[in-house]
Amino acid sequence: MNELTAAELLAAQVQGASALEITAAFLRTIHERDGSLNAFLHVDDEFALAQARAVDAKRKHGDLLGILAGVPVAVKDILCVAGQKTTCGSKILRDFIPPYDAHVITRLKQADAILLGKTNMDEFAMGSSTENSGFTITRNPWDLERTPGGSSGGSAAAVAAGLAPLGIGTDTGGSIRQPAALCGIVGFKPTYGRVSRFGVIAFGSSLDQVGPLAHNVYDAALLLEAIAGHDARDSTSVDRPVPAYSRGLDQLVKPLTVGIPREFFSDGLDAEVENAVRVALAEYQSQGAVLKEISLPHSSFAVAVYYLVATAEASSNLARYDGVHFGHRAEKFADLLDMVARSRGEGFGAEVKRRVMLGTYALSSGYVDAYYLKALKVRRLIKDDFDTAFRQCDVIAGPTTPTAAFKLGEKTGDPLAMYLSDIYTIGANLAGLPGISVPCGFTKNGLPIGLQLMAAPFEEGKLLQVARMFERATDWHNRRPKVQAPG
Amino acid sequence: MSPYRTIIGLEVHVQLLTRTKLFCGCSTKFGLPPNSATCPVCAGLPGALPVMNRMAFELALKAAMALNCQIASLTKWDRKNYFYPDLPKNYQISQYDLPFSKAGWLQIECPGGAKKIGIIRAHLEEDAGKMLHDEQGGGRDSLVDLNRTGVPLLEIVSQPDLRAPEEAKAYLEEMRLLLREIEVSDCEMQEGSLRCDANVNIHIPISPSPVASSFSREPTASADRIQPHGTPSALAAGSRLNVESTGAEGETFAATPIVEIKNLNSFRGVERALKYEAERQFQEYQQKLGSVWNVDPRSARNFAGSTVIPVQEKRNGSLVMVAKATAGWNEKRGVTEIQRRKEEAADYRYFPEPDLVPILIDSLMLEKARAGLGELPAAQRNRLQTEYGLSPYDASVLSSQGRAVVAYFEQTAGLSGDPKETSNWISNEVLQTLNDRKQQIREFAIPPASLAGLIQEVKSSGLNKQRAREVFAEMANSDATVKAALAKLGYQVVSDESQLREIVRRAVAANPKAVADFKKGKVKAADAIKGAVMRETKGMANTELVQRLLAEELDAV
Ligand SMILES: [Zn+2]
């Protein structure tokens, strides 16, 4: 049961399977295998089973069912769920229970999906390996000594390992696509504004976007369809109709021009990854697509721009965790200032502190022009690069990550090396574009490799179709890791 | 003549008359139980996002238009970052470098005539909560009430154009009148819906001018530069005014360091605090000049056409500018208390608020705001003078009472045909009665037609003022018309000439001393005889007729 895709689980229920047995099967798998992975932070069996029973009751009564009826979803612990712990991977929110649902959670409930539990993540989504979690380190199902990527590493690992058929992640600089690539699954980051951020604990507000993690493009399209759309509570959410992405997915995009940025195939790109991606591009060519070399001349500044913009916003977004109104408060303190300083000092991990300091510095008087404001200008240039590129091609293709999954601990001592693992994904966040990572091969060590495709804003439909063209011709997405129960 | 001139700039915060907060749906009602008007958004809970209240923006637009401001076509929100427990997000959503309005003015009435006070900018921002410090527990526990957090505020920053504490008070009164008239704010200082911080320093003439030329000047290009936040120093404004300056021809002044007075909670308090502070600065200047403070011509600046040299402090052998200070106003003791010198400006790390989209202000929004303005007080005062021939003072008295009273005046004046008398009646009897009864004009018992009737009756029958007031009181008490009130009081004006002449003759005969005095040229002596006539007729004699008959009879003696 736990090997099935969302589409197969929906079909199985039409054939007589119950949401309850499906949910129970996934819960069982979680209890068997998650000891090896640590993908989940909290699993509430009773809550999940109650939802499943409710779906079965609805079906029995002949009520109209949502598009994800009875399909379990693993949700990154960055999305607020009313009455349930939402920690954002941080000790500072260890006991935080929000009084409201994130918009995405509301939509999942409306779609009759089953919320299995909350998955591990880098603290406040700051990281690329899930090693920055304040609670535990998540392991890659393909190799337990390696990282699943991050920051949505918990959701990606859960889907890859069959602990959940669908996962919800957030992507600020690649946090959905990078772990999807490293875990051999599909990860989709929608256009900025396509999915409401209401109830998503903010990291970099102008970059954050919620999106699906799934076994294949169809499942990702289905989940996107369920969560996308306008929400009056998020001013940056865009009021545009949501196409039925899952329908018409097999339509071929013809003619199709695939842009290949020459900057994505330079230093630092692993040879095995490059080879797999080039083979994938050849597949498009064999299906009649035109491959066109393009240039994104400012892409070399993307990482620098990102670490100024995202950290500046984060330094302000995270100011509210002061021990005054909610969250962790230090036990002993001298005065108000000391209370705030100690609460933050105890509650935040090293990477969060590093980024809050970096962002505070970038906004400080005397430095703001040279750092934050200059970064905004370069961000504009990066966006212009993409606009120019999309006048020449339908999608941009390249590797999702420079390497396959790296070893746990390999980059924790070198933040800059860690930051570079997002080098190809950051551009889409800075420009607000939709991007997808689909499995496109394996290294000789058996580690998955991801192909990244990006499209112009709100071209989600076309992007999914192009991704599906590749997926249909290949078998990479059907491979599953063998995860042993902890011995 | 004061030995110095006072330079004042005001920073006013008014709460907009919206039902809900600026970025969430919580109530803005005053006096609710602590923390009852809160939600995840205004409490700053993780994941909550702000959504702009359009009504607040419309009200702010109206206010900016009424203040003759330039309205931006695009405006945005910014975050002002600072840690304080009454600010749950630890940043305030405000406007920094693209406020929705700037460069306006407010006309105030001063003893020397009307004066335009420049407005540097007006922008929208959210209010903070209220800290409740537990004094009994030795200050150990502090509580915070977030009801006020997120309430929409309009911050209006004036140029340092006010030259006296009285002008500051007049500015605030005019601001309150204006914002109430256009229903933007109720401006209740007691409830905190109008708050005011005052920046003040003084200029002391020094002569002969120690410098003839070569003082530093900002390029004129900076004239339009917006001072993000806070009242700019008088010096910065001086550079703004460079453009209109006539150069070094004017007088030369020494300028004391600017003091920002906070905690001002009444208009009277503003005036008193400024008076006290200006005098305190003058004394400080006299004490410190030559010992601690120096006036160095090399740091001379231009301020509104005159040369101004800010005092400097000797420190480690060199001269340094004295930083702006913050002071609190102690209402009880009637003194300002200097709290701190702002040696280093606070770094608020402003940046664009990524959770809100910029606002495009189109012509439709502008038209809507303009349509909602109606006639503004300054224009109304002018019209009352030109259209009704009222004096500036009378026009100002009526205008200050708001539109409803002016409308009442205009209706009554139209019916009575005598605007001056109508204005007198309203400014005195009507307003007094309303005040005594704590009534609004719309609740007033005498409709314009009845008051006009009384004014005409006085004119035609010669009813004297004292009796007319009694009739007025009767009308106000019993909703009676003039006729009914006269009948009820049994008042019948005696206008029969022969009857009155008889009474006048008797009075003349009974007052030989007064007659003799009158004949000697003491015109006033006739009043005694007139008084006798009025006593005789119980005040009901036609005043004008008595006047004529008395003149004739005295002539005949
Ligand atoms: Zn609220």
Side-chain angles (χ1 to χ4, degrees):
Chain A
M1 187 78 85
N2 66 294
E3 299 280 311
L4 299 182
T5 65
E8 288 161 352
L9 290 167
L10 288 167
Q13 290 176 87
V14 174
Q15 302 299 317
S18 72
L20 188 64
E21 62 186 289
I22 290 169
T23 305
F26 278 99
L27 287 171
R28 206 159 45 239
T29 312
I30 292 170
H31 295 309
E32 277 168 21
R33 297 185 192 169
D34 201 33
S36 316
L37 296 171
N38 299 327
F40 282 89
L41 285 176
H42 342 280
V43 177
D44 187 338
D45 289 31
E46 276 320 303
F47 181 65
L49 294 170
Q51 295 171 74
R53 282 187 204 102
V55 170
D56 287 335
K58 270 174 107 172
R59 192 185 300 277
K60 206 171 167 190
H61 285 116
D63 294 350
L64 205 63
L65 287 166
I67 62 168
L68 292 175
V71 180
V73 182
V75 175
K76 187 178 184 179
D77 205 23
I78 199 170
L79 286 98
C80 291
V81 177
Q84 302 219 322
K85 261 189 200 175
T86 300
T87 67
C88 212
S90 180
K91 290 196 178 94
I92 212 159
L93 287 176
R94 182 196 288 275
D95 300 311
F96 178 64
I97 297 178
Y100 51 90
D101 279 334
H103 182 73
V104 166
I105 298 298
T106 304
R107 297 293 296 270
L108 287 174
K109 286 180 174 174
Q110 284 166 354
D112 291 317
I114 310 298
L115 303 174
L116 275 185
K118 306 295 280 296
T119 57
N120 195 23
M121 55 185 285
D122 286 299
E123 184 178 11
F124 285 100
M126 295 177 183
S128 308
S129 68
T130 319
E131 289 166 289
N132 294 334
S133 166
F135 304 107
T136 184
I137 290 170
T138 301
R139 291 164 187 273
N140 190 315
W142 295 93
D143 179 347
L144 298 180
E145 296 310 308
R146 289 177 189 267
T147 170
S151 65
S152 310
S155 286
V159 172
L163 309 188
L166 294 174
I168 288 285
T170 59
D171 191 317
T172 305
S175 284
I176 290 174
R177 291 159 290 159
Q178 185 255 20
L182 269 44
C183 289
I185 59 171
V186 172
F188 192 98
K189 174 216 166 300
T191 307
Y192 185 78
R194 181 73 289 188
V195 178
S196 169
R197 293 183 297 115
F198 185 86
V200 180
I201 298 179
F203 162 20
S205 309
S206 74
L207 304 154
D208 297 343
Q209 196 57 202
V210 187
L213 289 144
H215 287 299
N216 59 37
V217 175
Y218 179 87
D219 281 10
L222 198 65
L223 182 49
L224 178 63
E225 215 173 297
I227 62 172
H230 181 242
D231 173 17
R233 295 172 301 176
D234 173 4
S235 308
T236 63
S237 124
V238 177
D239 194 1
R240 277 168 86 119
V242 179
Y245 299 119
S246 60
R247 264 175 270 156
L249 200 60
D250 282 314
Q251 213 169 296
L252 303 180
V253 179
K254 268 191 174 163
L256 172 63
T257 306
V258 179
I260 323 285
R262 72 174 74 96
E263 292 82 3
F264 282 16
F265 294 85
S266 56
D267 296 351
L269 177 60
D270 177 83
E272 281 187 283
V273 173
E274 176 170 359
N275 188 50
V277 170
R278 292 214 184 270
V279 170
L281 296 175
E283 171 56 36
Y284 278 110
Q285 207 168 18
S286 76
Q287 291 189 39
V290 175
L291 302 188
K292 186 175 169 66
E293 192 185 79
I294 58 160
S295 176
L296 299 169
H298 297 94
S299 57
S300 60
F301 302 114
V303 172
V305 168
Y306 174 81
Y307 278 94
L308 290 168
V309 174
T311 57
E313 292 177 2
S315 72
S316 173
N317 284 332
L318 271 59
R320 69 190 67 197
Y321 308 107
D322 57 6
V324 175
H325 298 277
F326 50 80
H328 174 73
R329 181 187 288 181
E331 276 186 20
K332 287 185 194 142
F333 50 84
D335 54 18
L336 178 67
L337 189 69
D338 191 46
M339 181 186 95
V340 172
R342 281 175 190 271
S343 301
R344 289 167 71 80
E346 293 167 10
F348 287 148
E351 182 61 23
V352 170
K353 287 176 189 165
R354 180 169 16 246
R355 296 200 194 187
V356 167
M357 283 191 277
L358 192 57
T360 303
Y361 184 80
L363 287 174
S364 293
S365 162
Y367 302 99
V368 66
D369 290 328
Y371 295 109
Y372 177 74
L373 292 176
K374 178 162 283 175
L376 287 192
K377 285 177 192 150
V378 181
R379 183 179 184 177
R380 180 79 236 170
L381 296 175
I382 288 169
K383 170 119 180 50
D384 291 347
D385 283 354
F386 280 106
D387 289 347
T388 307
F390 285 121
R391 280 196 282 275
Q392 307 162 52
C393 60
D394 297 287
V395 294
I396 291 172
T400 307
T401 59
T403 65
F406 43 93
K407 285 238 162 81
L408 290 168
E410 187 181 326
K411 297 184 181 179
T412 45
D414 185 355
L416 213 58
M418 185 77 90
Y419 296 172
L420 288 173
S421 64
D422 292 332
I423 190 163
Y424 304 128
T425 46
I426 276 171
N429 300 84
L430 292 172
L433 310 173
I436 188 171
S437 179
V438 290
C440 73
F442 284 82
T443 64
K444 59 181 183 306
N445 288 335
L447 297 172
I449 297 168
L451 168 73
Q452 180 179 223
L453 299 162
M454 290 178 274
F458 298 101
E459 295 269 32
E460 276 86 0
K462 180 159 83 179
L463 183 58
L464 288 162
Q465 284 169 349
V466 172
R468 176 66 188 143
M469 282 168 70
F470 175 75
E471 184 183 79
R472 197 171 34 205
T474 57
D475 195 35
W476 308 116
H477 62 283
N478 288 326
R479 295 213 192 168
R480 298 283 192 274
K482 300 268 176 289
V483 182
Q484 302 301 321
Chain B
M1 185 68 185
S2 173
Y4 55 83
R5 65 179 191 189
T6 311
I7 311 295
I8 302 163
L10 296 182
E11 194 179 305
V12 172
H13 285 88
V14 294
Q15 183 185 326
L16 301 177
L17 278 173
T18 54
R19 282 192 310 109
T20 56
K21 294 185 180 180
L22 187 49
F23 298 117
C24 64
C26 292
S27 171
T28 54
K29 218 166 165 186
F30 181 76
L32 294 174
N35 294 308
S36 62
T38 56
C39 72
V41 176
C42 57
L45 290 193
L49 295 170
V51 176
M52 187 188 78
N53 178 342
R54 291 211 74 86
M55 178 70 182
F57 194 77
E58 285 170 17
L59 290 180
L61 258 188
K62 263 172 80 172
M65 274 187 168
L67 291 168
N68 307 291
C69 286
Q70 292 171 20
I71 310 288
S73 53
L74 177 115
T75 186
K76 68 175 172 78
W77 301 98
D78 298 282
R79 289 190 187 174
K80 179 181 183 180
N81 295 284
Y82 63 96
F83 281 89
Y84 205 72
D86 65 2
L87 195 67
K89 303 189 295 294
N90 283 323
Y91 60 80
Q92 179 194 30
I93 305 178
S94 180
Q95 299 198 279
Y96 182 54
D97 53 348
L98 286 177
F100 77 95
S101 75
K102 60 172 183 175
W105 45 265
L106 175 65
Q107 184 173 316
I108 64 170
E109 303 297 323
C110 300
K115 185 172 171 183
K116 282 181 183 175
I117 305 302
I119 305 284
I120 297 174
R121 58 186 277 158
H123 73 251
L124 262 171
E125 61 186 30
E126 56 176 346
D127 205 348
K130 226 192 266 175
M131 295 292 290
L132 308 159
H133 298 287
D134 169 26
E135 305 295 344
Q136 285 167 339
R140 261 187 46 239
D141 288 322
S142 289
L143 302 172
V144 63
D145 176 6
L146 298 181
N147 282 354
R148 216 177 58 186
T149 310
V151 161
L153 292 181
L154 182 66
E155 178 177 319
I156 303 161
V157 184
S158 89
Q159 292 280 5
D161 287 349
L162 299 158
R163 290 290 175 274
E166 294 80 6
E167 287 188 11
K169 183 162 171 260
Y171 172 86
L172 289 172
E173 283 169 346
E174 185 67 17
M175 183 71 76
R176 179 175 62 183
L177 174 66
L178 179 76
L179 298 181
R180 281 181 176 174
E181 288 285 86
I182 59 175
E183 292 169 334
V184 159
S185 173
D186 57 15
C187 296
E188 295 288 356
M189 237 182 166
Q190 302 302 324
E191 295 183 1
S193 66
L194 186 151
R195 280 167 254 163
C196 174
D197 298 333
N199 283 271
V200 58
N201 72 338
I202 59 168
H203 289 177
I204 307 101
I206 42 175
S207 54
S209 166
V211 62
S213 61
S214 81
F215 45 76
S216 63
R217 280 184 192 231
E218 299 251 42
T220 48
S222 71
D224 288 329
R225 205 175 61 200
I226 287 261
Q227 292 274 328
H229 257 262
T231 306
S233 68
L235 298 176
S239 64
R240 181 191 69 92
L241 291 164
N242 258 347
V243 231
E244 62 203 49
S245 133
T246 49
E249 304 287 318
E251 255 186 298
T252 299
F253 297 87
T256 53
I258 295 167
V259 171
E260 183 180 3
I261 313 175
K262 296 190 171 279
N263 273 349
L264 297 165
N265 48 24
S266 71
F267 289 5
R268 178 96 186 88
V270 172
E271 194 182 356
R272 284 178 64 210
L274 286 168
K275 271 195 180 135
Y276 178 88
E277 177 59 23
E279 199 49 35
R280 190 201 64 74
Q281 287 185 18
F282 186 57
Q283 280 170 19
E284 185 182 17
Y285 173 78
Q286 286 174 311
Q287 278 168 20
K288 290 186 174 174
L289 188 68
S291 55
V292 189
W293 285 356
N294 253 44
V295 178
D296 182 354
R298 281 170 302 179
S299 50
R301 314 281 171 93
N302 207 315
F303 181 93
S306 51
T307 305
V308 167
I309 307 168
V311 298
Q312 288 172 295
E313 207 168 272
K314 287 177 207 158
R315 217 179 282 169
N316 304 328
S318 59
L319 285 174
V320 292
M321 288 289 174
V322 186
K324 175 176 164 174
T326 305
W329 169 241
N330 187 324
E331 179 87 40
K332 263 191 208 135
R333 293 180 48 220
V335 299
T336 52
E337 292 160 344
I338 300 290
Q339 289 161 344
R340 62 193 154 97
R341 294 261 170 215
K342 292 180 174 174
E343 293 294 346
E344 260 179 80
D347 186 356
Y348 293 120
R349 305 192 314 278
Y350 283 99
F351 76 102
E353 164 58 284
D355 288 334
L356 290 163
V357 288
I359 307 153
L360 287 164
I361 304 173
D362 57 24
S363 54
L364 219 70
M365 286 165 82
L366 292 177
E367 271 166 43
K368 192 179 171 197
R370 190 168 287 123
L373 284 183
E375 187 179 43
L376 302 178
Q380 190 180 62
R381 284 192 295 265
N382 276 336
R383 191 171 60 78
L384 291 175
Q385 290 170 50
T386 53
E387 203 172 300
Y388 294 97
L390 297 186
S391 70
Y393 176 80
D394 287 343
S396 174
V397 169
L398 287 177
S399 208
S400 70
Q401 296 302 317
R403 281 176 186 163
V405 169
V406 172
Y408 182 89
F409 160 79
E410 295 198 63
Q411 285 177 44
T412 310
L415 295 167
S416 73
D418 189 340
K420 174 68 190 160
E421 266 310 295
T422 304
S423 161
N424 289 344
W425 274 99
I426 293 175
S427 304
N428 298 308
E429 277 70 25
V430 175
L431 294 183
Q432 185 62 53
T433 311
L434 291 178
N435 195 39
D436 292 346
R437 299 182 178 184
K438 307 259 174 289
Q439 276 183 330
Q440 298 292 313
I441 189 76
R442 59 185 161 74
E443 303 162 297
F444 187 51
I446 306 178
S450 297
L451 182 61
L454 176 60
I455 292 164
Q456 282 174 327
E457 176 69 24
V458 170
K459 229 176 168 180
S460 64
S461 73
L463 182 69
N464 88 29
K465 193 78 192 192
Q466 184 49 42
R467 290 283 175 260
R469 284 199 193 100
E470 290 165 22
V471 174
F472 176 88
E474 178 58 31
M475 289 164 72
N477 284 332
S478 62
D479 293 10
T481 60
V482 186
K483 279 199 170 56
L486 285 167
K488 178 150 185 229
L489 293 169
Y491 290 168
Q492 182 86 51
V493 177
V494 182
S495 293
D496 183 293
E497 189 167 333
S498 58
Q499 190 190 342
L500 271 183
R501 191 181 290 279
E502 195 50 44
I503 296 169
V504 170
R505 276 182 185 153
R506 278 206 301 275
V508 168
N511 289 283
K513 168 99 170 55
V515 174
D517 286 349
F518 181 80
K519 290 287 181 189
K520 278 182 215 150
K522 282 191 181 168
V523 184
K524 281 269 174 207
D527 288 355
I529 310 168
K530 200 160 79 187
V533 174
M534 283 304 175
R535 272 194 301 280
E536 175 92 27
T537 57
K538 296 195 167 63
M540 296 311 298
N542 181 324
T543 330
E544 278 173 46
L545 193 53
V546 170
Q547 198 65 35
R548 178 164 64 79
L549 296 175
L550 184 58
E552 288 170 13
E553 291 306 317
L554 282 171
D555 260 359
V557 174

